[in-house]
Amino acid sequence: MALTLDTFNAAAPAEALRLLDGLYEHSPWVVERALARRPFASLAALKWALVQSVAGATREEQLALIRAHPELAGKAMVANTLTTESTGEQSRAGLTHCSPEEFAALQQLNADYNARFGFPFILAVRGPRGSGLTRQQIIATFQRRLHNPVDFEREEALRNIHRIAEIRLADKFGAEPVLGHHVWDWHDSLAQHSDPGFKEQGQLTVTYLTDAHQACQKELTARMRECGFDEVSIDAVGNVVGVYHGATPDAKRLLTGSHFDTVRNGGRYDGRLGIFAPLACVQRLRQAGRRLPFGIEVVAFSEEEGQRYKATFLGSGALTGDFNPAWLEQTDADGIAMREAMRAAGLPGTLDAIDALRRDPARYLGFVEVHIEQGPVLNEMGLPLAVVTSINAGVRHVGEVIGMASHAGTTPMDRRRDAACAVAELALYMERRAAQDGDSVATIGLLNVPGGSINVVPGRCQFSLDLRAPNDDQRDALERDVLAELSAICERRGLGQRLERTMAASAAPSHPAWQTRWEQAVAALGLPVHRMPSGAGHDAMKLHEVMPQAMLFVRGENSGISHNPLESSTSDDIELCVRAFEHLLNQLAVDPL
Amino acid sequence: MALTLDTFNAAAPAEALRLLDGLYEHSPWVVERALARRPFASLAALKWALVQSVAGATREEQLALIRAHPELAGKAMVANTLTTESTGEQSRAGLTHCSPEEFAALQQLNADYNARFGFPFILAVRGPRGSGLTRQQIIATFQRRLHNPVDFEREEALRNIHRIAEIRLADKFGAEPVLGHHVWDWHDSLAQHSDPGFKEQGQLTVTYLTDAHQACQKELTARMRECGFDEVSIDAVGNVVGVYHGATPDAKRLLTGSHFDTVRNGGRYDGRLGIFAPLACVQRLRQAGRRLPFGIEVVAFSEEEGQRYKATFLGSGALTGDFNPAWLEQTDADGIAMREAMRAAGLPGTLDAIDALRRDPARYLGFVEVHIEQGPVLNEMGLPLAVVTSINAGVRHVGEVIGMASHAGTTPMDRRRDAACAVAELALYMERRAAQDGDSVATIGLLNVPGGSINVVPGRCQFSLDLRAPNDDQRDALERDVLAELSAICERRGLGQRLERTMAASAAPSHPAWQTRWEQAVAALGLPVHRMPSGAGHDAMKLHEVMPQAMLFVRGENSGISHNPLESSTSDDIELCVRAFEHLLNQLAVDPL
């Protein structure tokens, strides 16, 4: 019979330790130090205590924990001296059935990895859904991680150890994240649709109104119907809209959703998690035959990434009346105007139809959005969820510093007017200045010496500035300081400069009452409430213009990498996010504002 | 009657001041302070004293000197209140005959310039040969200089003031640099030949064995014959070789020369000055019917710049037996193999013929080369000549830093692995480290974030290193420190790197006895001896492998810019360089080693 949390909470320390025996390979101290934090309100709370136990250990203890693990397909596997847990895991991953070539490759990787890092390669070979990674996936991950810096890889090893423990815990407590698996499968299925040229390479790319995009609309429509939405439709900009009525069809609605288009070769959770999480909630409401005092309107936004046309937030912008009429005439790389693309996809392609999509804020309670973090914070903390305090304000510039190109051999150091060194100085200033704020970021993403030669002192250096902060004042101060520093550098070095401000977006602070609802939902799961700004823009920024909004972030695996096929989540985290959403709905039902 | 230097040296101070009245516009103090340095051995010595007079003045006095000058085509010209000297100069430049459009353009430029710098635009409107700049050239220079930094432009104004004084001095002393004009005209004539596509745009480009290159060979052959060389021929790699016999045809020879090919859109003095200076000397020997105890062999090297084929120093390399047989099969951008190009130009195109060019060092006294500095040092010092101590050792690397591309909005500053910031740190370190040595230089000439986006933290940054120092040990220490710093930066920031060493050239220190000969020649002209390393490579580097060598540098105008159409020299400097060469020949005749 599976262990229960009540049993574990009530057990004497020695017994509690025995109950979780084998959770951390040959390292009972990890559980032992977490016992003082009992009782745990949830498995999530227990996992967090275990993360803290390891984070609080010494560097030597952490390394000992890592070194207590066997090599993948290593000597211990061959000699049959693995722990029961490791045996099962390595066997399920097919490592006991390697071809001779695969086995040789793994032995070489083990040797190289150990030589570089001084500890064995640790990988949770059961994948994000709990099912096994293939041998090919394991070898590819091994090869990729071999190039990581040592500090980073030590943390990555500990993260994998916690992930292994999470899966072992689910076994012990008979607590498979069934709901999470379910929603994970929805992502898996939707990711089958990809634009030509990408699909063939196994890459995910869904841009506005392509065949793959329309296939997604179709699948989302079917999924909403299957979940039991009362009304499902595709609107004039291609959004898929599902409505689950409240107690009465004219009850006010909670608006939620996110986008299903992707960047080129993107990830499968970006946007889509914010569609599927509320779908799962509605499915459970329907299964329970429940109606809430308010309706739930889920919008799967057709476009957010601005990939096919130079028009971002097209899907959510249409709901706020922010659709630029000139966009209809804009053409894509193949010369197809947006209006044509709309008509080819069966949409009216008229401004009237699009204008009609504008929502009356009086009919809505507010807007909430769930999104994968797209950053490393939660992954590094070992926390599955965070509450967003604000979508950051941002400003962008592109420009160049103009110096004097001269001979790299004959121009003495004190007589140079090197444009690249000036930008180098600026880059390092930006690092320091943004770090001062703690929550500002400053990036030079574009950097180039045009027509440069190895033996010519750079006469020009082109660069970009991307500056973001949680509120407009902080962003403005950052921008002021960076531009002043650039002027000072150029003045001191005798250089010219020109900058063009290409974008400025105001911050979208979360509505306090709605932010509190997310905080309560996270706390109810037994998790600490971590608050953080969103560095990336989201559909919630658009809705912010017309109604209160607040967002929930879900941890991304692989250091939170996004806009990349390595973007990943787990069934466990997805389940927590659905439960948090459900909590928010239930609270809103009893305390509707 | 023209003033003589003896008269000036002997005059009482007040009289001496009167003799040079009007030399510096409304600023007699410049001459006054130089008087203490009398007697002057030469006009060049007087000019140097005047340069020092201004250099030693206060910033306020310098600005007052600049402000004492009239605007070009300004109010004073219109109102007829210019000094006699300025009237003549502005009139000869045709400024009194501007079209209404030109006049309006100049008024606007005067206003813009004065607003930016706080002093009037000063330009020596009599050109490098002493003849006038055109109105179009004046306006183009005005427009270009408007963008200079203030400090730089103040110095540029003072340089132009000295140049104006130099021309006024020549008038007063009846001392036109006739020989310099003569050699200047040879450069002018040779610059008529330019490769297709460049000639049409008025640009100078002469690459290996093109029609323009062959036209140069023809003109150089004729010029050598006209100067009275005993033997003139074109050798198997296209060098034009002229021999002026010594007392007997089998006397040992002094080898000298430089290259006549150019970079794309290059300058007309680079290389060619080192051919024409000895030609002028031989012409004067022949006119005087003189034979020296040694022969003079001038080689106009056909190729140094490596523009058409990836083979540099081909002309001088052939003399040292350093011709790579594989080069014959190398093809240019149009697919023409070097062997074909040679045959089309009437050369044998065989290795045997090329091998036969190798010189027997025992037959030569040594190699000397005159070259335009290609750097800003002499121009800034106000000195026409310098003696080269060494051709710098150099080493080049290309490579990249590898970090982790991540979202510019969501990746906190303390969690980034920004490849560009690491290279920025390296660039600033290189500036400091090279400056420590005083005479080392370090350059990042190539700099690029490949596939960068404005909103992505750079995951890769490609760059080059060009490190040079006057000797191999200093170069090696510089390289060691730079590479160690790169490793330290990458280690600290958790980044990877890869570097490829693409070039390493040993230093070519001047032979002490030959360097002394150049020093004596410079001193004999009444000039201070300034010694400096050559940051650029020269044909002398190749000859260094087989015989003693030493070089003389001639100041370049426009901050010494080279590999650029703005590369320039003056008849006055060219004349000094020919006189220095002549002095070296005469000294060698009486003290042949």
Side-chain angles (χ1 to χ4, degrees):
Chain A
M1 224 192 76
L3 179 61
T4 69
L5 203 56
D6 286 343
T7 308
F8 177 72
N9 278 332
E15 172 62 7
L17 201 55
R18 196 198 55 77
L19 287 170
L20 296 193
D21 187 33
L23 191 63
Y24 286 84
E25 201 87 357
H26 304 299
S27 306
W29 61 266
V30 180
V31 173
E32 195 168 14
R33 291 181 198 174
L35 289 182
R37 297 183 185 241
R38 290 186 301 169
F40 296 109
S42 63
L43 266 187
L46 168 56
K47 291 177 200 170
W48 174 241
L50 294 166
V51 165
Q52 287 174 294
S53 171
V54 173
T58 65
R59 173 71 49 91
E60 288 63 37
E61 288 171 327
Q62 292 176 343
L63 286 171
L65 169 61
I66 299 173
R67 293 187 181 122
H69 285 72
E71 290 187 331
L72 276 183
K75 291 189 205 78
M77 184 187 87
V78 175
N80 258 325
T81 59
L82 293 177
T83 59
T84 318
E85 290 82 357
S86 284
T87 304
E89 287 152 3
Q90 299 210 14
S91 153
R92 266 194 299 271
L95 291 172
T96 42
H97 294 85
C98 284
S99 72
E101 293 73 24
E102 287 167 340
F103 190 75
L106 281 166
Q107 298 320 304
Q108 187 59 50
L109 283 166
N110 275 324
D112 292 348
Y113 188 97
N114 239 308
R116 174 157 158 75
F117 298 109
F119 50 78
F121 174 69
I122 317 282
L123 176 65
V125 291
R126 283 166 75 181
R129 193 208 182 284
S131 58
L133 295 180
T134 65
R135 287 196 298 274
Q136 291 71 27
Q137 286 171 323
I138 290 169
I139 290 173
T141 306
F142 209 153
Q143 287 166 333
R144 178 168 55 80
R145 282 178 43 190
L146 198 52
H147 300 288
N148 280 333
V150 177
D151 280 9
F152 179 88
E153 192 56 22
R154 190 184 58 245
E155 294 295 326
E156 186 69 10
L158 294 176
R159 283 192 286 272
N160 274 275
I161 287 169
H162 287 305
R163 175 67 185 148
I164 293 168
E166 177 168 58
I167 296 167
R168 290 177 180 176
L169 264 182
D171 289 345
K172 285 184 190 289
F173 283 85
E176 276 285 304
V178 178
L179 181 57
H181 287 340
H182 190 57
V183 178
W184 195 93
D185 289 341
W186 289 350
H187 286 91
D188 197 40
S189 173
L190 195 64
Q192 304 304 309
H193 312 296
S194 185
D195 287 347
F198 296 93
K199 189 181 176 68
E200 298 73 12
Q201 300 175 59
Q203 297 179 352
L204 176 61
T205 302
V206 176
T207 60
Y208 191 49
L209 298 183
T210 59
D211 288 349
H213 191 271
Q214 293 177 56
C216 286
Q217 289 173 324
K218 211 171 147 188
E219 179 162 332
L220 286 166
T221 303
R223 188 73 68 205
M224 285 183 183
R225 293 227 166 85
E226 167 197 321
C227 287
F229 279 78
D230 297 302
E231 302 169 17
V232 180
S233 60
I234 295 174
D235 74 15
V237 295
N239 296 327
V240 184
V241 184
V243 181
Y244 184 68
H245 292 307
T248 60
D250 60 348
K252 279 197 174 189
R253 293 173 183 173
L254 172 68
L255 192 63
T256 185
S258 193
H259 62 98
F260 64 90
D261 69 323
T262 76
V263 297
R264 288 171 218 283
N265 196 18
R268 53 167 66 178
Y269 304 92
D270 181 358
R272 296 163 175 210
L273 187 56
I275 301 168
F276 287 135
L279 253 64
C281 292
V282 166
Q283 185 174 43
R284 285 164 56 84
L285 286 171
R286 170 67 77 173
Q287 284 164 349
R290 274 184 75 196
R291 291 284 172 183
L292 300 176
F294 52 89
I296 301 172
E297 181 173 332
V298 180
V299 185
F301 295 113
S302 54
E303 205 289 332
E304 190 252 28
E305 302 281 9
Q307 299 282 312
R308 182 171 175 188
Y309 294 98
K310 280 188 190 160
T312 53
F313 297 104
L314 188 152
S316 47
L319 271 60
T320 64
D322 194 6
F323 185 93
N324 180 348
W327 286 346
L328 282 181
E329 318 307 330
Q330 216 185 67
T331 54
D332 68 4
D334 296 326
I336 300 169
M338 188 187 287
R339 187 194 301 275
E340 282 178 70
M342 284 178 163
R343 291 192 175 151
L347 307 180
T350 66
L351 271 184
D352 283 353
I354 294 166
D355 282 344
L357 302 182
R358 187 192 299 234
R359 299 299 196 268
D360 172 9
R363 295 208 52 211
Y364 292 88
L365 298 175
F367 180 79
V368 292
E369 181 175 358
V370 166
H371 208 283
I372 193 157
E373 180 201 334
Q374 301 188 282
V377 176
L378 291 174
N379 188 242
E380 289 195 6
M381 291 180 75
L383 250 189
L385 302 175
V387 178
V388 175
T389 53
S390 175
I391 302 174
N392 280 355
V395 60
R396 292 179 183 172
H397 293 258
V398 294
E400 67 177 345
V401 166
I402 302 123
M404 177 86 85
S406 62
H407 195 297
T410 61
T411 316
M413 298 311 290
D414 60 357
R415 289 185 176 83
R416 295 180 170 214
R417 289 162 59 198
D418 186 325
C421 281
V423 178
E425 239 188 282
L426 184 68
L428 299 181
Y429 172 78
M430 284 166 59
E431 277 197 317
R432 291 192 304 274
R433 175 59 184 79
Q436 259 174 33
D437 287 350
D439 48 8
S440 293
V441 286
T443 308
I444 291 183
L446 299 173
L447 178 66
N448 183 38
V449 172
S453 295
I454 196 165
N455 61 343
V456 175
V457 177
R460 288 167 65 207
C461 186
Q462 301 170 331
F463 63 101
S464 63
L465 304 177
D466 182 308
L467 310 172
R468 311 195 197 194
N471 61 67
D472 294 357
D473 286 348
Q474 189 175 322
R475 186 264 324 256
D476 292 345
L478 176 65
E479 184 186 27
R480 227 173 11 246
D481 287 355
V482 168
L483 298 188
E485 181 71 12
L486 175 61
S487 294
I489 292 167
C490 287
E491 181 64 28
R492 178 161 36 76
R493 289 176 174 266
L495 305 167
Q497 49 142 315
R498 49 154 214 85
L499 272 188
E500 185 191 352
R501 201 180 201 240
T502 56
M503 190 276 273
S506 295
S510 300
H511 186 280
W514 286 90
Q515 181 181 325
T516 301
R517 288 200 179 89
W518 280 127
E519 291 173 4
Q520 290 168 340
V522 169
L525 293 170
L527 286 169
V529 174
H530 180 70
R531 299 172 187 86
M532 63 182 291
S534 168
H538 294 292
D539 291 300
M541 277 174 88
K542 296 309 294 179
L543 278 308
H544 180 82
E545 296 165 12
V546 297
M547 62 181 78
Q549 61 79 24
M551 292 184 68
L552 179 73
F553 269 173
V554 179
R555 157 173 62 188
E557 300 295 299
N558 299 318
S559 301
I561 194 165
S562 189
H563 289 187
N564 189 295
L566 287 173
E567 182 191 85
S568 189
S569 183
T570 65
S571 309
D572 300 81
D573 287 359
I574 292 173
E575 171 137 348
L576 287 172
C577 133
V578 174
R579 301 261 179 225
F581 205 112
E582 205 163 51
H583 186 274
L584 179 135
L585 293 175
N586 289 331
Q587 279 304 106
L588 198 57
V590 294
D591 176 17
L593 284 182
Chain B
M1 224 192 78
L3 180 61
T4 69
L5 203 56
D6 286 345
T7 309
F8 178 72
N9 278 333
E15 171 63 6
L17 202 55
R18 197 196 56 77
L19 288 170
L20 296 192
D21 186 36
L23 192 65
Y24 286 83
E25 199 86 356
H26 304 299
S27 307
W29 61 265
V30 180
V31 173
E32 196 168 12
R33 291 181 196 175
L35 290 182
R37 298 182 185 241
R38 290 186 300 169
F40 296 110
S42 63
L43 267 187
L46 168 57
K47 290 177 201 169
W48 173 240
L50 294 166
V51 164
Q52 287 175 294
S53 171
V54 173
T58 64
R59 173 71 48 91
E60 286 66 35
E61 289 171 324
Q62 293 177 342
L63 286 171
L65 170 61
I66 298 173
R67 292 187 181 123
H69 285 72
E71 291 187 332
L72 276 182
K75 290 193 205 75
M77 184 187 87
V78 174
N80 258 324
T81 60
L82 292 177
T83 60
T84 317
E85 290 81 358
S86 284
T87 302
E89 287 154 4
Q90 299 212 12
S91 156
R92 269 194 297 272
L95 291 173
T96 42
H97 295 84
C98 283
S99 71
E101 293 73 25
E102 286 166 343
F103 190 76
L106 282 166
Q107 299 319 307
Q108 186 59 51
L109 284 166
N110 275 324
D112 292 348
Y113 188 96
N114 238 308
R116 174 157 158 75
F117 298 110
F119 49 78
F121 174 69
I122 316 283
L123 177 65
V125 291
R126 284 167 74 180
R129 192 209 183 285
S131 59
L133 295 179
T134 64
R135 288 197 297 274
Q136 291 71 27
Q137 286 171 323
I138 290 169
I139 290 173
T141 306
F142 209 153
Q143 287 166 335
R144 177 169 54 80
R145 281 177 44 190
L146 198 52
H147 300 289
N148 280 333
V150 177
D151 280 8
F152 179 87
E153 192 57 21
R154 191 183 58 245
E155 295 294 326
E156 185 70 10
L158 292 175
R159 284 191 285 274
N160 274 275
I161 287 170
H162 287 305
R163 175 65 184 149
I164 292 168
E166 177 168 58
I167 295 168
R168 291 178 180 177
L169 265 183
D171 288 345
K172 285 183 191 289
F173 283 84
E176 277 286 302
V178 177
L179 180 58
H181 287 340
H182 190 58
V183 178
W184 195 92
D185 288 342
W186 290 351
H187 287 91
D188 196 39
S189 174
L190 195 64
Q192 305 304 309
H193 313 296
S194 185
D195 287 348
F198 295 93
K199 190 180 175 64
E200 297 72 15
Q201 301 175 58
Q203 297 180 352
L204 176 63
T205 303
V206 176
T207 60
Y208 192 49
L209 297 183
T210 60
D211 288 349
H213 191 270
Q214 293 177 58
C216 286
Q217 290 175 325
K218 212 171 147 190
E219 178 162 332
L220 287 165
T221 303
R223 188 74 68 204
M224 286 182 182
R225 294 228 165 85
E226 166 198 322
C227 287
F229 279 79
D230 299 301
E231 302 169 16
V232 181
S233 60
I234 294 173
D235 75 14
V237 295
N239 295 328
V240 184
V241 184
V243 181
Y244 184 69
H245 292 308
T248 59
D250 60 347
K252 279 198 174 187
R253 294 174 183 172
L254 172 68
L255 191 63
T256 185
S258 193
H259 62 98
F260 64 90
D261 70 322
T262 76
V263 297
R264 290 172 217 285
N265 196 18
R268 53 169 65 180
Y269 303 92
D270 181 359
R272 295 162 176 212
L273 187 58
I275 301 168
F276 288 134
L279 253 65
C281 292
V282 166
Q283 185 175 41
R284 284 163 59 83
L285 286 171
R286 170 67 79 174
Q287 284 165 348
R290 275 183 76 195
R291 291 285 172 184
L292 300 175
F294 51 88
I296 301 172
E297 181 174 333
V298 182
V299 185
F301 295 114
S302 55
E303 204 290 330
E304 191 251 31
E305 301 283 9
Q307 298 282 311
R308 183 170 174 188
Y309 294 98
K310 279 187 192 162
T312 53
F313 297 102
L314 187 153
S316 48
L319 272 60
T320 64
D322 193 8
F323 185 94
N324 181 348
W327 286 346
L328 282 181
E329 319 307 330
Q330 216 185 64
T331 53
D332 69 4
D334 296 326
I336 300 169
M338 188 186 289
R339 187 195 300 276
E340 282 177 71
M342 285 178 162
R343 293 194 173 150
L347 307 179
T350 66
L351 271 184
D352 282 353
I354 294 167
D355 282 345
L357 303 182
R358 189 192 300 233
R359 299 298 195 269
D360 173 9
R363 296 209 51 210
Y364 293 88
L365 299 174
F367 180 79
V368 292
E369 181 176 358
V370 166
H371 208 283
I372 193 156
E373 181 202 333
Q374 303 188 282
V377 176
L378 291 175
N379 187 243
E380 289 195 7
M381 292 180 74
L383 251 189
L385 302 174
V387 177
V388 175
T389 53
S390 175
I391 302 173
N392 281 355
V395 60
R396 292 181 183 170
H397 293 258
V398 293
E400 66 176 346
V401 166
I402 303 123
M404 176 86 85
S406 61
H407 195 297
T410 60
T411 317
M413 298 311 291
D414 60 357
R415 289 186 176 84
R416 295 179 170 214
R417 289 162 60 198
D418 186 325
C421 281
V423 179
E425 239 189 283
L426 184 69
L428 299 181
Y429 172 79
M430 284 166 59
E431 276 197 317
R432 292 192 303 274
R433 174 61 184 77
Q436 258 173 35
D437 286 351
D439 48 8
S440 293
V441 286
T443 308
I444 291 183
L446 298 173
L447 179 65
N448 183 38
V449 172
S453 296
I454 195 164
N455 61 343
V456 176
V457 177
R460 289 168 64 209
C461 185
Q462 300 170 333
F463 63 100
S464 63
L465 304 177
D466 182 309
L467 310 173
R468 310 197 198 194
N471 61 68
D472 294 357
D473 287 349
Q474 189 174 322
R475 187 263 325 258
D476 291 346
L478 176 65
E479 183 186 27
R480 228 173 10 249
D481 287 355
V482 168
L483 298 188
E485 180 70 14
L486 175 61
S487 295
I489 292 168
C490 288
E491 181 65 27
R492 180 160 33 78
R493 289 177 174 266
L495 305 167
Q497 50 142 314
R498 52 156 211 83
L499 272 188
E500 186 191 352
R501 202 180 201 240
T502 55
M503 191 276 273
S506 295
S510 301
H511 186 280
W514 287 89
Q515 182 182 324
T516 302
R517 288 200 179 88
W518 279 126
E519 291 173 4
Q520 289 168 340
V522 169
L525 293 170
L527 286 169
V529 174
H530 181 70
R531 300 172 185 85
M532 62 181 290
S534 168
H538 295 291
D539 291 300
M541 279 174 86
K542 295 309 294 180
L543 278 307
H544 179 84
E545 295 165 13
V546 297
M547 61 181 79
Q549 61 78 26
M551 292 184 69
L552 179 73
F553 269 173
V554 180
R555 159 173 60 188
E557 301 293 299
N558 300 319
S559 301
I561 193 165
S562 188
H563 289 187
N564 189 297
L566 287 174
E567 182 190 84
S568 189
S569 183
T570 65
S571 309
D572 300 80
D573 287 0
I574 292 173
E575 171 138 348
L576 287 172
C577 136
V578 174
R579 301 264 178 221
F581 205 110
E582 206 163 49
H583 187 274
L584 180 135
L585 294 175
N586 288 331
Q587 278 305 106
L588 199 57
V590 296
D591 177 18
L593 281 183

